[in-house]
Amino acid sequence: MQALLALTLANIRSYTRDRAAVFWTLAFPLVFIVLFGLIFQGSGTTRLTFGWVDEDGSPAAAQLRAGFAALEGVTLVDATRQAATDDMKVGDVDSVIVVPAGYGAALATSQGSAAAPTQIEVFTDPSRPQLQGSVYQAVGTVLGIVNLGGRPPLVVPNAQTVQTENLNAISYFVPSMLGLSIMQVGIFAAIPLVADREKLILKRLAATPLRRWQLVGSNVLMRVLIAFTQAVIIVAVGALAFGVEIVGSLLLVAAFVTLGAMAFLALGYVIASFARTEDAANGMTSMIQFPMMFLSGAFFQIDQMPQFLQVIARLIPLTYLADALRQVMVGGAAFAPLWVCAAVLLGWLVVCFGIAARKFQWQ
């Protein structure tokens, strides 16, 4: 155990001396998070889609609907209460407005009297404060016209909340970026391994009294520690700088970070097993990395891809790591159940480890 820890510390010191490696594994993901966070934070919601539920059917309710429909950038979708809230949960509408039964009669009664104001129900998602503000701005604009001259106001919004599965852009991107970073930590391990083999460093290490499992174990432990460092940095920046709320279990996040790091590290050892030179390892790593980046749903939702690309996405381990992290960290809609995500990552780990154990050469 002492030898394992000593080797791990030596690997960490060697890693920190390589400024390019530190940049690509730690600073580069952080640059992505800040860049996209500023872009998404600065882009306000200019168009709104409301689910419109008219349970009254009176002329007053029709006039209220006409007021919302006249707003620039607002689209109304007529539906029942249940259908509208279901649409909101999956992101088909941004908010739901319900005009309750008796709205017209209550509005007529309240005019010119001291009766309590009439209410309409406004459903928003509190986890999306920017969108929530845009919704209430639109509601305030219409009700300001309805209430013109009314003292007290004739109509007021009755705030209701619905937890949706449609994440804002930065909440979707932060777990995806964490998954990408973990992938890079794993598969990029192939390059220094091949370089050490070319320089006969692995051959000399294999001739020492150190056991091979200690040499491999120290590399695995170092890479897992780097993955956890990435996770802490990315989650901290997302939460503190851009208000991303982590709603799930941190222990479960840590479990998927560990499983993902080991699965991609095993894939990195497979690359090192077949790459004869450092240049070949660079090319193979890039050939594997880029398709996974763009087909795993990290940048684009998988259901928006052509069908044949969706089939490929279902075979990619990053798809399941990023999906699991989104589910656990921010409560995102599931591409696959968590147990399926864990099973796929474990399967990749076992298969890649088996291939590397048979094919990896020390010299």
Side-chain angles (χ1 to χ4, degrees), residues 3-11 193 196 201-223 265 269 360 362:
L4 176 63
L5 294 177
L7 278 171
T8 302
L9 291 175
N11 283 333
L193 280 171
D196 287 347
I201 295 175
L202 293 184
K203 180 180 179 180
R204 290 195 291 269
L205 286 173
T208 66
L210 292 171
R211 298 181 179 179
R212 291 187 176 182
W213 72 264
Q214 292 174 322
L215 298 173
V216 174
S218 65
N219 191 26
V220 170
L221 185 55
M222 180 196 70
R223 295 282 167 174
L265 186 55
Y269 269 88
F360 186 80
W362 292 80

PDB file of all heavy atoms in Angstrom, residues 3-11 193 196 201-223 265 269 360 362:
ATOM      1  N   ALA A   3       3.824   1.549  -1.279  1.00  0.00           N
ATOM      2  CA  ALA A   3       4.366   1.695  -2.633  1.00  0.00           C
ATOM      3  C   ALA A   3       3.329   2.290  -3.579  1.00  0.00           C
ATOM      4  O   ALA A   3       3.648   3.142  -4.422  1.00  0.00           O
ATOM      5  CB  ALA A   3       4.828   0.341  -3.149  1.00  0.00           C
ATOM      6  N   LEU A   4       2.080   1.861  -3.445  1.00  0.00           N
ATOM      7  CA  LEU A   4       1.002   2.390  -4.287  1.00  0.00           C
ATOM      8  C   LEU A   4       0.828   3.888  -4.069  1.00  0.00           C
ATOM      9  O   LEU A   4       0.727   4.669  -5.020  1.00  0.00           O
ATOM     10  CB  LEU A   4      -0.300   1.641  -3.998  1.00  0.00           C
ATOM     11  CG  LEU A   4      -1.545   2.151  -4.736  1.00  0.00           C
ATOM     12  CD1 LEU A   4      -1.383   1.994  -6.240  1.00  0.00           C
ATOM     13  CD2 LEU A   4      -2.793   1.416  -4.245  1.00  0.00           C
ATOM     14  N   LEU A   5       0.793   4.311  -2.799  1.00  0.00           N
ATOM     15  CA  LEU A   5       0.616   5.729  -2.491  1.00  0.00           C
ATOM     16  C   LEU A   5       1.813   6.549  -2.966  1.00  0.00           C
ATOM     17  O   LEU A   5       1.651   7.665  -3.483  1.00  0.00           O
ATOM     18  CB  LEU A   5       0.404   5.911  -0.986  1.00  0.00           C
ATOM     19  CG  LEU A   5      -0.894   5.317  -0.418  1.00  0.00           C
ATOM     20  CD1 LEU A   5      -0.943   5.502   1.090  1.00  0.00           C
ATOM     21  CD2 LEU A   5      -2.111   5.956  -1.076  1.00  0.00           C
ATOM     22  N   ALA A   6       3.014   6.000  -2.775  1.00  0.00           N
ATOM     23  CA  ALA A   6       4.211   6.721  -3.219  1.00  0.00           C
ATOM     24  C   ALA A   6       4.208   6.899  -4.732  1.00  0.00           C
ATOM     25  O   ALA A   6       4.553   7.978  -5.252  1.00  0.00           O
ATOM     26  CB  ALA A   6       5.466   5.972  -2.770  1.00  0.00           C
ATOM     27  N   LEU A   7       3.819   5.848  -5.462  1.00  0.00           N
ATOM     28  CA  LEU A   7       3.740   5.951  -6.919  1.00  0.00           C
ATOM     29  C   LEU A   7       2.675   6.960  -7.351  1.00  0.00           C
ATOM     30  O   LEU A   7       2.854   7.712  -8.305  1.00  0.00           O
ATOM     31  CB  LEU A   7       3.431   4.578  -7.515  1.00  0.00           C
ATOM     32  CG  LEU A   7       4.611   3.624  -7.698  1.00  0.00           C
ATOM     33  CD1 LEU A   7       4.111   2.238  -8.093  1.00  0.00           C
ATOM     34  CD2 LEU A   7       5.576   4.161  -8.744  1.00  0.00           C
ATOM     35  N   THR A   8       1.545   6.951  -6.637  1.00  0.00           N
ATOM     36  CA  THR A   8       0.468   7.892  -6.959  1.00  0.00           C
ATOM     37  C   THR A   8       0.939   9.326  -6.780  1.00  0.00           C
ATOM     38  O   THR A   8       0.696  10.191  -7.634  1.00  0.00           O
ATOM     39  CB  THR A   8      -0.759   7.616  -6.075  1.00  0.00           C
ATOM     40  OG1 THR A   8      -1.193   6.277  -6.267  1.00  0.00           O
ATOM     41  CG2 THR A   8      -1.893   8.569  -6.434  1.00  0.00           C
ATOM     42  N   LEU A   9       1.617   9.608  -5.661  1.00  0.00           N
ATOM     43  CA  LEU A   9       2.136  10.960  -5.425  1.00  0.00           C
ATOM     44  C   LEU A   9       3.163  11.344  -6.485  1.00  0.00           C
ATOM     45  O   LEU A   9       3.187  12.492  -6.949  1.00  0.00           O
ATOM     46  CB  LEU A   9       2.756  11.034  -4.028  1.00  0.00           C
ATOM     47  CG  LEU A   9       1.768  10.948  -2.854  1.00  0.00           C
ATOM     48  CD1 LEU A   9       2.521  10.910  -1.525  1.00  0.00           C
ATOM     49  CD2 LEU A   9       0.801  12.127  -2.887  1.00  0.00           C
ATOM     50  N   ALA A  10       4.000  10.395  -6.877  1.00  0.00           N
ATOM     51  CA  ALA A  10       4.983  10.673  -7.929  1.00  0.00           C
ATOM     52  C   ALA A  10       4.292  10.993  -9.248  1.00  0.00           C
ATOM     53  O   ALA A  10       4.704  11.905  -9.980  1.00  0.00           O
ATOM     54  CB  ALA A  10       5.917   9.483  -8.085  1.00  0.00           C
ATOM     55  N   ASN A  11       3.226  10.243  -9.561  1.00  0.00           N
ATOM     56  CA  ASN A  11       2.472  10.510 -10.798  1.00  0.00           C
ATOM     57  C   ASN A  11       1.812  11.878 -10.763  1.00  0.00           C
ATOM     58  O   ASN A  11       1.762  12.582 -11.775  1.00  0.00           O
ATOM     59  CB  ASN A  11       1.415   9.423 -11.013  1.00  0.00           C
ATOM     60  CG  ASN A  11       2.012   8.128 -11.531  1.00  0.00           C
ATOM     61  OD1 ASN A  11       3.049   8.132 -12.181  1.00  0.00           O
ATOM     62  ND2 ASN A  11       1.358   7.013 -11.231  1.00  0.00           N
ATOM     63  N   LEU A 193       0.996   6.928 -21.626  1.00  0.00           N
ATOM     64  CA  LEU A 193       1.353   5.518 -21.511  1.00  0.00           C
ATOM     65  C   LEU A 193       2.168   5.059 -22.726  1.00  0.00           C
ATOM     66  O   LEU A 193       3.193   4.379 -22.584  1.00  0.00           O
ATOM     67  CB  LEU A 193       0.085   4.662 -21.382  1.00  0.00           C
ATOM     68  CG  LEU A 193      -0.568   4.591 -20.006  1.00  0.00           C
ATOM     69  CD1 LEU A 193      -1.916   3.883 -20.096  1.00  0.00           C
ATOM     70  CD2 LEU A 193       0.339   3.871 -19.024  1.00  0.00           C
ATOM     71  N   ASP A 196       5.613   6.660 -22.625  1.00  0.00           N
ATOM     72  CA  ASP A 196       6.508   5.973 -21.682  1.00  0.00           C
ATOM     73  C   ASP A 196       6.992   4.633 -22.236  1.00  0.00           C
ATOM     74  O   ASP A 196       8.134   4.223 -21.996  1.00  0.00           O
ATOM     75  CB  ASP A 196       5.793   5.764 -20.344  1.00  0.00           C
ATOM     76  CG  ASP A 196       5.636   7.049 -19.561  1.00  0.00           C
ATOM     77  OD1 ASP A 196       6.293   8.048 -19.920  1.00  0.00           O
ATOM     78  OD2 ASP A 196       4.855   7.064 -18.584  1.00  0.00           O
ATOM     79  N   ILE A 201      10.427   3.459 -20.570  1.00  0.00           N
ATOM     80  CA  ILE A 201      10.211   3.692 -19.143  1.00  0.00           C
ATOM     81  C   ILE A 201       9.383   2.564 -18.540  1.00  0.00           C
ATOM     82  O   ILE A 201       9.678   2.081 -17.441  1.00  0.00           O
ATOM     83  CB  ILE A 201       9.527   5.057 -18.918  1.00  0.00           C
ATOM     84  CG1 ILE A 201      10.462   6.188 -19.348  1.00  0.00           C
ATOM     85  CG2 ILE A 201       9.117   5.229 -17.459  1.00  0.00           C
ATOM     86  CD1 ILE A 201       9.829   7.562 -19.282  1.00  0.00           C
ATOM     87  N   LEU A 202       8.357   2.123 -19.256  1.00  0.00           N
ATOM     88  CA  LEU A 202       7.530   1.020 -18.751  1.00  0.00           C
ATOM     89  C   LEU A 202       8.342  -0.261 -18.628  1.00  0.00           C
ATOM     90  O   LEU A 202       8.146  -1.043 -17.681  1.00  0.00           O
ATOM     91  CB  LEU A 202       6.329   0.794 -19.671  1.00  0.00           C
ATOM     92  CG  LEU A 202       5.268   1.898 -19.720  1.00  0.00           C
ATOM     93  CD1 LEU A 202       4.103   1.479 -20.611  1.00  0.00           C
ATOM     94  CD2 LEU A 202       4.750   2.243 -18.328  1.00  0.00           C
ATOM     95  N   LYS A 203       9.243  -0.475 -19.573  1.00  0.00           N
ATOM     96  CA  LYS A 203      10.083  -1.681 -19.518  1.00  0.00           C
ATOM     97  C   LYS A 203      10.956  -1.667 -18.269  1.00  0.00           C
ATOM     98  O   LYS A 203      11.096  -2.685 -17.572  1.00  0.00           O
ATOM     99  CB  LYS A 203      10.937  -1.769 -20.776  1.00  0.00           C
ATOM    100  CG  LYS A 203      11.852  -2.994 -20.809  1.00  0.00           C
ATOM    101  CD  LYS A 203      12.674  -3.015 -22.083  1.00  0.00           C
ATOM    102  CE  LYS A 203      13.614  -4.233 -22.112  1.00  0.00           C
ATOM    103  NZ  LYS A 203      14.428  -4.265 -23.352  1.00  0.00           N
ATOM    104  N   ARG A 204      11.544  -0.510 -17.960  1.00  0.00           N
ATOM    105  CA  ARG A 204      12.404  -0.409 -16.782  1.00  0.00           C
ATOM    106  C   ARG A 204      11.589  -0.539 -15.492  1.00  0.00           C
ATOM    107  O   ARG A 204      12.033  -1.150 -14.517  1.00  0.00           O
ATOM    108  CB  ARG A 204      13.176   0.907 -16.815  1.00  0.00           C
ATOM    109  CG  ARG A 204      14.236   0.947 -17.910  1.00  0.00           C
ATOM    110  CD  ARG A 204      15.204   2.084 -17.694  1.00  0.00           C
ATOM    111  NE  ARG A 204      14.574   3.383 -17.898  1.00  0.00           N
ATOM    112  CZ  ARG A 204      14.545   4.025 -19.065  1.00  0.00           C
ATOM    113  NH1 ARG A 204      15.104   3.465 -20.143  1.00  0.00           N
ATOM    114  NH2 ARG A 204      13.976   5.194 -19.170  1.00  0.00           N
ATOM    115  N   LEU A 205      10.373   0.047 -15.481  1.00  0.00           N
ATOM    116  CA  LEU A 205       9.526  -0.077 -14.297  1.00  0.00           C
ATOM    117  C   LEU A 205       9.100  -1.527 -14.077  1.00  0.00           C
ATOM    118  O   LEU A 205       9.012  -1.996 -12.937  1.00  0.00           O
ATOM    119  CB  LEU A 205       8.279   0.813 -14.444  1.00  0.00           C
ATOM    120  CG  LEU A 205       8.495   2.324 -14.275  1.00  0.00           C
ATOM    121  CD1 LEU A 205       7.217   3.072 -14.612  1.00  0.00           C
ATOM    122  CD2 LEU A 205       8.938   2.651 -12.853  1.00  0.00           C
ATOM    123  N   ALA A 206       8.831  -2.233 -15.177  1.00  0.00           N
ATOM    124  CA  ALA A 206       8.422  -3.634 -15.057  1.00  0.00           C
ATOM    125  C   ALA A 206       9.540  -4.504 -14.506  1.00  0.00           C
ATOM    126  O   ALA A 206       9.280  -5.583 -13.935  1.00  0.00           O
ATOM    127  CB  ALA A 206       7.973  -4.162 -16.414  1.00  0.00           C
ATOM    128  N   ALA A 207      10.782  -4.063 -14.655  1.00  0.00           N
ATOM    129  CA  ALA A 207      11.920  -4.832 -14.152  1.00  0.00           C
ATOM    130  C   ALA A 207      12.218  -4.570 -12.679  1.00  0.00           C
ATOM    131  O   ALA A 207      13.072  -5.243 -12.090  1.00  0.00           O
ATOM    132  CB  ALA A 207      13.160  -4.519 -14.990  1.00  0.00           C
ATOM    133  N   THR A 208      11.550  -3.597 -12.076  1.00  0.00           N
ATOM    134  CA  THR A 208      11.754  -3.291 -10.654  1.00  0.00           C
ATOM    135  C   THR A 208      10.952  -4.270  -9.803  1.00  0.00           C
ATOM    136  O   THR A 208      10.081  -5.004 -10.307  1.00  0.00           O
ATOM    137  CB  THR A 208      11.306  -1.852 -10.356  1.00  0.00           C
ATOM    138  OG1 THR A 208       9.889  -1.775 -10.539  1.00  0.00           O
ATOM    139  CG2 THR A 208      11.990  -0.862 -11.287  1.00  0.00           C
ATOM    140  N   PRO A 209      11.208  -4.277  -8.481  1.00  0.00           N
ATOM    141  CA  PRO A 209      10.418  -5.151  -7.592  1.00  0.00           C
ATOM    142  C   PRO A 209       8.943  -4.779  -7.496  1.00  0.00           C
ATOM    143  O   PRO A 209       8.144  -5.541  -6.952  1.00  0.00           O
ATOM    144  CB  PRO A 209      11.118  -4.976  -6.241  1.00  0.00           C
ATOM    145  CG  PRO A 209      12.486  -4.483  -6.551  1.00  0.00           C
ATOM    146  CD  PRO A 209      12.335  -3.656  -7.778  1.00  0.00           C
ATOM    147  N   LEU A 210       8.568  -3.598  -8.007  1.00  0.00           N
ATOM    148  CA  LEU A 210       7.171  -3.182  -7.961  1.00  0.00           C
ATOM    149  C   LEU A 210       6.311  -4.119  -8.794  1.00  0.00           C
ATOM    150  O   LEU A 210       6.710  -4.535  -9.892  1.00  0.00           O
ATOM    151  CB  LEU A 210       7.022  -1.753  -8.488  1.00  0.00           C
ATOM    152  CG  LEU A 210       7.634  -0.654  -7.622  1.00  0.00           C
ATOM    153  CD1 LEU A 210       7.609   0.671  -8.377  1.00  0.00           C
ATOM    154  CD2 LEU A 210       6.869  -0.513  -6.308  1.00  0.00           C
ATOM    155  N   ARG A 211       5.153  -4.447  -8.251  1.00  0.00           N
ATOM    156  CA  ARG A 211       4.220  -5.289  -9.004  1.00  0.00           C
ATOM    157  C   ARG A 211       3.460  -4.446 -10.027  1.00  0.00           C
ATOM    158  O   ARG A 211       3.244  -3.250  -9.828  1.00  0.00           O
ATOM    159  CB  ARG A 211       3.247  -5.972  -8.046  1.00  0.00           C
ATOM    160  CG  ARG A 211       3.949  -6.907  -7.055  1.00  0.00           C
ATOM    161  CD  ARG A 211       2.948  -7.583  -6.152  1.00  0.00           C
ATOM    162  NE  ARG A 211       3.616  -8.485  -5.221  1.00  0.00           N
ATOM    163  CZ  ARG A 211       2.982  -9.210  -4.295  1.00  0.00           C
ATOM    164  NH1 ARG A 211       1.658  -9.134  -4.191  1.00  0.00           N
ATOM    165  NH2 ARG A 211       3.660 -10.006  -3.495  1.00  0.00           N
ATOM    166  N   ARG A 212       3.045  -5.118 -11.076  1.00  0.00           N
ATOM    167  CA  ARG A 212       2.392  -4.374 -12.149  1.00  0.00           C
ATOM    168  C   ARG A 212       1.059  -3.793 -11.705  1.00  0.00           C
ATOM    169  O   ARG A 212       0.663  -2.713 -12.176  1.00  0.00           O
ATOM    170  CB  ARG A 212       2.222  -5.282 -13.372  1.00  0.00           C
ATOM    171  CG  ARG A 212       3.560  -5.619 -14.021  1.00  0.00           C
ATOM    172  CD  ARG A 212       3.403  -6.382 -15.322  1.00  0.00           C
ATOM    173  NE  ARG A 212       4.699  -6.606 -15.953  1.00  0.00           N
ATOM    174  CZ  ARG A 212       4.877  -7.208 -17.115  1.00  0.00           C
ATOM    175  NH1 ARG A 212       3.815  -7.643 -17.789  1.00  0.00           N
ATOM    176  NH2 ARG A 212       6.092  -7.374 -17.604  1.00  0.00           N
ATOM    177  N   TRP A 213       0.353  -4.474 -10.818  1.00  0.00           N
ATOM    178  CA  TRP A 213      -0.920  -3.924 -10.356  1.00  0.00           C
ATOM    179  C   TRP A 213      -0.696  -2.634  -9.585  1.00  0.00           C
ATOM    180  O   TRP A 213      -1.562  -1.736  -9.578  1.00  0.00           O
ATOM    181  CB  TRP A 213      -1.685  -4.933  -9.510  1.00  0.00           C
ATOM    182  CG  TRP A 213      -1.128  -5.202  -8.127  1.00  0.00           C
ATOM    183  CD1 TRP A 213      -0.301  -6.211  -7.766  1.00  0.00           C
ATOM    184  CD2 TRP A 213      -1.369  -4.434  -6.940  1.00  0.00           C
ATOM    185  NE1 TRP A 213       0.009  -6.137  -6.429  1.00  0.00           N
ATOM    186  CE2 TRP A 213      -0.644  -5.056  -5.891  1.00  0.00           C
ATOM    187  CE3 TRP A 213      -2.113  -3.305  -6.652  1.00  0.00           C
ATOM    188  CZ2 TRP A 213      -0.640  -4.570  -4.589  1.00  0.00           C
ATOM    189  CZ3 TRP A 213      -2.121  -2.809  -5.363  1.00  0.00           C
ATOM    190  CH2 TRP A 213      -1.401  -3.427  -4.335  1.00  0.00           C
ATOM    191  N   GLN A 214       0.467  -2.491  -8.940  1.00  0.00           N
ATOM    192  CA  GLN A 214       0.763  -1.246  -8.245  1.00  0.00           C
ATOM    193  C   GLN A 214       1.022  -0.114  -9.237  1.00  0.00           C
ATOM    194  O   GLN A 214       0.587   1.024  -9.016  1.00  0.00           O
ATOM    195  CB  GLN A 214       1.980  -1.440  -7.335  1.00  0.00           C
ATOM    196  CG  GLN A 214       1.728  -2.375  -6.166  1.00  0.00           C
ATOM    197  CD  GLN A 214       2.988  -2.657  -5.370  1.00  0.00           C
ATOM    198  OE1 GLN A 214       4.070  -2.787  -5.939  1.00  0.00           O
ATOM    199  NE2 GLN A 214       2.846  -2.754  -4.052  1.00  0.00           N
ATOM    200  N   LEU A 215       1.709  -0.426 -10.318  1.00  0.00           N
ATOM    201  CA  LEU A 215       1.956   0.588 -11.354  1.00  0.00           C
ATOM    202  C   LEU A 215       0.648   1.051 -12.001  1.00  0.00           C
ATOM    203  O   LEU A 215       0.414   2.249 -12.178  1.00  0.00           O
ATOM    204  CB  LEU A 215       2.902   0.023 -12.409  1.00  0.00           C
ATOM    205  CG  LEU A 215       4.301  -0.381 -11.919  1.00  0.00           C
ATOM    206  CD1 LEU A 215       5.065  -1.093 -13.031  1.00  0.00           C
ATOM    207  CD2 LEU A 215       5.074   0.830 -11.444  1.00  0.00           C
ATOM    208  N   VAL A 216      -0.190   0.088 -12.345  1.00  0.00           N
ATOM    209  CA  VAL A 216      -1.481   0.431 -12.944  1.00  0.00           C
ATOM    210  C   VAL A 216      -2.384   1.121 -11.923  1.00  0.00           C
ATOM    211  O   VAL A 216      -3.044   2.121 -12.226  1.00  0.00           O
ATOM    212  CB  VAL A 216      -2.160  -0.833 -13.507  1.00  0.00           C
ATOM    213  CG1 VAL A 216      -3.562  -0.502 -14.007  1.00  0.00           C
ATOM    214  CG2 VAL A 216      -1.327  -1.440 -14.627  1.00  0.00           C
ATOM    215  N   GLY A 217      -2.404   0.590 -10.701  1.00  0.00           N
ATOM    216  CA  GLY A 217      -3.268   1.154  -9.667  1.00  0.00           C
ATOM    217  C   GLY A 217      -2.934   2.592  -9.346  1.00  0.00           C
ATOM    218  O   GLY A 217      -3.833   3.417  -9.107  1.00  0.00           O
ATOM    219  N   SER A 218      -1.643   2.947  -9.328  1.00  0.00           N
ATOM    220  CA  SER A 218      -1.262   4.331  -9.038  1.00  0.00           C
ATOM    221  C   SER A 218      -1.745   5.268 -10.139  1.00  0.00           C
ATOM    222  O   SER A 218      -2.192   6.396  -9.863  1.00  0.00           O
ATOM    223  CB  SER A 218       0.257   4.433  -8.884  1.00  0.00           C
ATOM    224  OG  SER A 218       0.915   4.136 -10.109  1.00  0.00           O
ATOM    225  N   ASN A 219      -1.694   4.813 -11.390  1.00  0.00           N
ATOM    226  CA  ASN A 219      -2.186   5.627 -12.499  1.00  0.00           C
ATOM    227  C   ASN A 219      -3.697   5.801 -12.437  1.00  0.00           C
ATOM    228  O   ASN A 219      -4.229   6.893 -12.651  1.00  0.00           O
ATOM    229  CB  ASN A 219      -1.783   4.979 -13.827  1.00  0.00           C
ATOM    230  CG  ASN A 219      -2.031   5.896 -15.014  1.00  0.00           C
ATOM    231  OD1 ASN A 219      -2.033   7.104 -14.871  1.00  0.00           O
ATOM    232  ND2 ASN A 219      -2.245   5.313 -16.183  1.00  0.00           N
ATOM    233  N   VAL A 220      -4.388   4.713 -12.114  1.00  0.00           N
ATOM    234  CA  VAL A 220      -5.850   4.777 -11.977  1.00  0.00           C
ATOM    235  C   VAL A 220      -6.235   5.718 -10.848  1.00  0.00           C
ATOM    236  O   VAL A 220      -7.121   6.577 -10.995  1.00  0.00           O
ATOM    237  CB  VAL A 220      -6.426   3.370 -11.730  1.00  0.00           C
ATOM    238  CG1 VAL A 220      -7.910   3.456 -11.348  1.00  0.00           C
ATOM    239  CG2 VAL A 220      -6.244   2.490 -12.957  1.00  0.00           C
ATOM    240  N   LEU A 221      -5.578   5.595  -9.705  1.00  0.00           N
ATOM    241  CA  LEU A 221      -5.901   6.437  -8.553  1.00  0.00           C
ATOM    242  C   LEU A 221      -5.651   7.906  -8.869  1.00  0.00           C
ATOM    243  O   LEU A 221      -6.459   8.777  -8.509  1.00  0.00           O
ATOM    244  CB  LEU A 221      -5.075   5.993  -7.350  1.00  0.00           C
ATOM    245  CG  LEU A 221      -5.368   6.692  -6.015  1.00  0.00           C
ATOM    246  CD1 LEU A 221      -6.838   6.576  -5.645  1.00  0.00           C
ATOM    247  CD2 LEU A 221      -4.489   6.115  -4.906  1.00  0.00           C
ATOM    248  N   MET A 222      -4.543   8.202  -9.544  1.00  0.00           N
ATOM    249  CA  MET A 222      -4.261   9.591  -9.906  1.00  0.00           C
ATOM    250  C   MET A 222      -5.352  10.151 -10.820  1.00  0.00           C
ATOM    251  O   MET A 222      -5.835  11.271 -10.619  1.00  0.00           O
ATOM    252  CB  MET A 222      -2.910   9.678 -10.613  1.00  0.00           C
ATOM    253  CG  MET A 222      -2.533  11.096 -11.024  1.00  0.00           C
ATOM    254  SD  MET A 222      -1.202  11.188 -12.248  1.00  0.00           S
ATOM    255  CE  MET A 222      -2.002  10.540 -13.715  1.00  0.00           C
ATOM    256  N   ARG A 223      -5.762   9.381 -11.810  1.00  0.00           N
ATOM    257  CA  ARG A 223      -6.780   9.856 -12.755  1.00  0.00           C
ATOM    258  C   ARG A 223      -8.132  10.047 -12.087  1.00  0.00           C
ATOM    259  O   ARG A 223      -8.866  10.990 -12.405  1.00  0.00           O
ATOM    260  CB  ARG A 223      -6.896   8.865 -13.920  1.00  0.00           C
ATOM    261  CG  ARG A 223      -5.657   8.766 -14.789  1.00  0.00           C
ATOM    262  CD  ARG A 223      -5.542   9.925 -15.736  1.00  0.00           C
ATOM    263  NE  ARG A 223      -4.221  10.012 -16.354  1.00  0.00           N
ATOM    264  CZ  ARG A 223      -3.910  10.877 -17.308  1.00  0.00           C
ATOM    265  NH1 ARG A 223      -4.822  11.719 -17.759  1.00  0.00           N
ATOM    266  NH2 ARG A 223      -2.679  10.917 -17.806  1.00  0.00           N
ATOM    267  N   LEU A 265     -10.969   5.356 -18.390  1.00  0.00           N
ATOM    268  CA  LEU A 265      -9.555   5.013 -18.225  1.00  0.00           C
ATOM    269  C   LEU A 265      -9.280   3.633 -18.813  1.00  0.00           C
ATOM    270  O   LEU A 265      -8.233   3.411 -19.450  1.00  0.00           O
ATOM    271  CB  LEU A 265      -9.184   5.053 -16.742  1.00  0.00           C
ATOM    272  CG  LEU A 265      -7.705   4.859 -16.397  1.00  0.00           C
ATOM    273  CD1 LEU A 265      -6.837   5.863 -17.139  1.00  0.00           C
ATOM    274  CD2 LEU A 265      -7.490   4.980 -14.901  1.00  0.00           C
ATOM    275  N   TYR A 269      -6.675   2.616 -21.790  1.00  0.00           N
ATOM    276  CA  TYR A 269      -5.709   1.513 -21.818  1.00  0.00           C
ATOM    277  C   TYR A 269      -5.889   0.654 -23.064  1.00  0.00           C
ATOM    278  O   TYR A 269      -4.920   0.102 -23.595  1.00  0.00           O
ATOM    279  CB  TYR A 269      -5.855   0.662 -20.559  1.00  0.00           C
ATOM    280  CG  TYR A 269      -4.967   1.123 -19.422  1.00  0.00           C
ATOM    281  CD1 TYR A 269      -5.401   2.091 -18.517  1.00  0.00           C
ATOM    282  CD2 TYR A 269      -3.694   0.605 -19.256  1.00  0.00           C
ATOM    283  CE1 TYR A 269      -4.591   2.527 -17.477  1.00  0.00           C
ATOM    284  CE2 TYR A 269      -2.868   1.031 -18.228  1.00  0.00           C
ATOM    285  CZ  TYR A 269      -3.325   2.000 -17.337  1.00  0.00           C
ATOM    286  OH  TYR A 269      -2.513   2.429 -16.328  1.00  0.00           O
ATOM    287  N   PHE A 360      -2.403  -5.318 -23.662  1.00  0.00           N
ATOM    288  CA  PHE A 360      -1.446  -4.258 -23.301  1.00  0.00           C
ATOM    289  C   PHE A 360      -0.044  -4.825 -23.181  1.00  0.00           C
ATOM    290  O   PHE A 360       0.165  -5.879 -22.553  1.00  0.00           O
ATOM    291  CB  PHE A 360      -1.863  -3.580 -21.995  1.00  0.00           C
ATOM    292  CG  PHE A 360      -1.006  -2.397 -21.634  1.00  0.00           C
ATOM    293  CD1 PHE A 360      -1.225  -1.169 -22.232  1.00  0.00           C
ATOM    294  CD2 PHE A 360       0.040  -2.510 -20.724  1.00  0.00           C
ATOM    295  CE1 PHE A 360      -0.440  -0.074 -21.916  1.00  0.00           C
ATOM    296  CE2 PHE A 360       0.838  -1.428 -20.400  1.00  0.00           C
ATOM    297  CZ  PHE A 360       0.591  -0.197 -21.006  1.00  0.00           C
ATOM    298  N   TRP A 362       4.084  -3.985 -22.206  1.00  0.00           N
ATOM    299  CA  TRP A 362       4.952  -3.115 -21.421  1.00  0.00           C
ATOM    300  C   TRP A 362       6.205  -2.706 -22.195  1.00  0.00           C
ATOM    301  O   TRP A 362       6.962  -1.860 -21.738  1.00  0.00           O
ATOM    302  CB  TRP A 362       5.344  -3.787 -20.123  1.00  0.00           C
ATOM    303  CG  TRP A 362       4.167  -3.952 -19.192  1.00  0.00           C
ATOM    304  CD1 TRP A 362       3.211  -4.894 -19.239  1.00  0.00           C
ATOM    305  CD2 TRP A 362       3.823  -3.081 -18.110  1.00  0.00           C
ATOM    306  NE1 TRP A 362       2.276  -4.701 -18.249  1.00  0.00           N
ATOM    307  CE2 TRP A 362       2.628  -3.570 -17.527  1.00  0.00           C
ATOM    308  CE3 TRP A 362       4.407  -1.940 -17.541  1.00  0.00           C
ATOM    309  CZ2 TRP A 362       2.013  -2.988 -16.441  1.00  0.00           C
ATOM    310  CZ3 TRP A 362       3.790  -1.341 -16.456  1.00  0.00           C
ATOM    311  CH2 TRP A 362       2.611  -1.852 -15.929  1.00  0.00           C
TER     312      TRP A 362
END
